[in-house]
Amino acid sequence: MARANIDDDFLEFVDVVEEVLQNETLPKRYFRDVENPLERFRDDEFQNRYRFSKDSVRHIILPMIQNQLMKTNNRGLPIPPLIQLLVCLRFFATGNFQVVSGDLRGISQATVSVIIKRVSEMIAEQTAHFIKFLAEEALQRENITKFWRISAFPGVAACVDCTHIPIASPGGNNAVAAGPHMEILDIVVRHPGSTHDSVIFDRSSLRVRFEQHQLLGLLLGDNGYPCRPYLLTPVIQPGNINENRYNTAHIRTRNIVERVFGVWKRRFPCLRRIN
C-alpha cells in the first residue's frame, strides 16, 4: 500500500514537470554586444583593422546610414548599426571569408552576407556626394595648377584609366578619373572585364561633359583610349626630343591614377579577391 502511494506521488510529480515544460517559453537568443572596437582599440589599431579612422566612422560614415539600418528588421535579434557597419568595413579591409567575419562577432555567415550587401548598397547611394568634379571654375583651375606641379604638363584636369575588380558574378571593370591628390573624381562601374577601356569611356558621362565644355582642362589616358582634343595619350613612337619630353611628362603625370588603383586595392583587399 505504501509502495502504491510512492508510485502515485512520483507519477503526479512527473505530470507537473511535463506541464511546466510544455508551458515554459524558451528564452530568445539575443545578439550580445561584445566589446566596442571604437573603445577597445587605439586610433592606429582601429585604422589598421577597419581602414578608416574612428572619427570618420563616428562622424561621417555611421550618420549617413544609421537611420536606415535601424529601420531594418532583424527578426527580434537586433544587431546595432555600429556593429553592422564595422562587420562590413572589416570585410572590406580584409577580404576574408564571411564566416570568419561572422565568427569575430558571433554572427552567422548568412547574416554577415546580408549585412555586407545592405551596408554596401547604403554607402554606394552616397557616391554622388563624394565622387565628383569640382563645380567651381576657380577650384578646377586650382586642380590644373596642382597637376602642372607634378611634371609641368599644362592644362590637365584629371587622369583616366581602368582596372579589373574580380567578383563572383559577371561585370566588374571600373573606369576612374583621378585628381592630383589621388582623389577619385569620376567612376564607372557597370561593364564586364572584357569591355575595352575606350568603350567604357565613350559610354561615360565624363566624355559628354568634356565634349560639351562643362569642365576645364584636359584628360590624360594611356593608349587604350582614343586621342581627342580633350583627351591626350602618349606618342607611340616618339621621333624627336619634344615628343620624348611630352611622353615623359605624360607618364609622370598620369601615374597618379595607377597609384590610386594600387592604394585602393591594398587598403581594401576585397577588391582583388574572390570569396
Side-chain angles (χ1 to χ4, degrees):
M1 186 70 177
R3 178 60 182 270
N5 289 337
I6 293 174
D7 288 344
D8 290 342
D9 291 342
F10 178 75
L11 291 174
E12 184 178 353
F13 171 76
V14 170
D15 290 339
V16 171
V17 171
E18 287 181 347
E19 184 178 354
V20 170
L21 290 176
Q22 289 174 359
N23 295 329
E24 182 71 20
T25 302
L26 295 176
K28 292 183 178 180
R29 179 190 173 194
Y30 287 96
F31 176 78
R32 290 179 292 179
D33 190 7
V34 294
E35 285 185 289
N36 184 343
L38 289 171
E39 299 172 354
R40 176 184 176 188
F41 298 114
R42 300 193 311 266
D43 291 347
D44 59 327
E45 293 174 336
F46 184 88
Q47 186 149 354
N48 285 338
R49 287 165 173 77
Y50 296 97
R51 298 300 193 265
F52 289 94
S53 67
K54 291 182 180 182
D55 285 343
S56 295
V57 170
R58 281 196 188 105
H59 305 304
I60 299 177
I61 305 176
L62 184 59
M64 288 191 307
I65 63 177
Q66 186 168 10
N67 290 338
Q68 291 175 274
L69 288 175
M70 292 182 69
K71 293 177 182 176
T72 57
N73 179 14
N74 291 300
R75 298 185 179 181
L77 304 176
I79 301 175
L82 173 63
I83 300 302
Q84 293 189 55
L85 173 60
L86 293 181
V87 166
C88 186
L89 294 183
R90 191 65 180 265
F91 173 76
F92 290 166
T94 62
N96 59 15
F97 290 103
Q98 294 176 2
V99 67
V100 176
S101 298
D103 288 345
L104 293 174
R105 288 286 165 193
I107 305 172
S108 69
Q109 180 275 327
T111 301
V112 171
S113 178
V114 171
I115 288 173
I116 292 173
K117 181 177 185 295
R118 175 190 301 152
V119 175
S120 298
E121 289 177 345
M122 291 178 183
I123 293 175
E125 289 172 356
Q126 307 296 323
T127 299
H129 297 294
F130 298 95
I131 299 180
K132 57 185 178 181
F133 266 84
L134 301 171
E136 297 82 359
E137 183 174 321
L139 295 177
Q140 292 181 37
R141 293 188 184 280
E142 183 179 338
N143 243 21
I144 291 172
T145 301
K146 292 175 181 177
F147 266 116
W148 181 85
R149 290 172 182 162
I150 295 175
S151 192
F153 201 115
V156 177
C159 300
V160 296
D161 202 1
C162 292
T163 186
H164 290 279
I165 303 296
I167 59 175
S169 59
N173 206 50
N174 284 12
V176 166
H181 291 301
M182 301 180 65
E183 67 272 40
I184 296 177
L185 303 176
D186 190 85
I187 187 168
V188 178
V189 194
R190 59 173 178 268
H191 294 283
S194 59
T195 307
H196 196 274
D197 293 4
S198 61
V199 174
I200 296 174
F201 179 75
D202 282 340
R203 295 174 180 173
S204 70
S205 62
L206 184 63
R207 175 192 63 80
V208 175
R209 295 178 69 188
F210 269 93
E211 290 187 351
Q212 293 181 352
H213 306 290
Q214 296 177 11
L215 298 170
L216 299 177
L218 305 167
L219 293 173
L220 296 188
D222 61 21
N223 290 115
Y225 295 92
C227 187
R228 293 177 179 170
Y230 55 86
L231 174 56
L232 303 184
T233 60
V235 176
I236 297 178
Q237 294 182 335
N240 55 58
I241 189 172
N242 290 330
E243 291 179 346
N244 280 319
R245 290 176 60 189
Y246 166 86
N247 274 3
T248 299
H250 187 289
I251 292 170
R252 288 178 179 174
T253 306
R254 202 193 68 84
N255 179 257
I256 196 79
V257 71
E258 302 288 352
R259 290 164 55 201
V260 166
F261 290 140
V263 171
W264 196 20
K265 292 183 179 182
R266 284 195 301 272
R267 188 170 185 181
F268 302 108
C270 67
L271 297 174
R272 50 188 171 87
R273 297 180 186 173
I274 299 179
N275 290 306

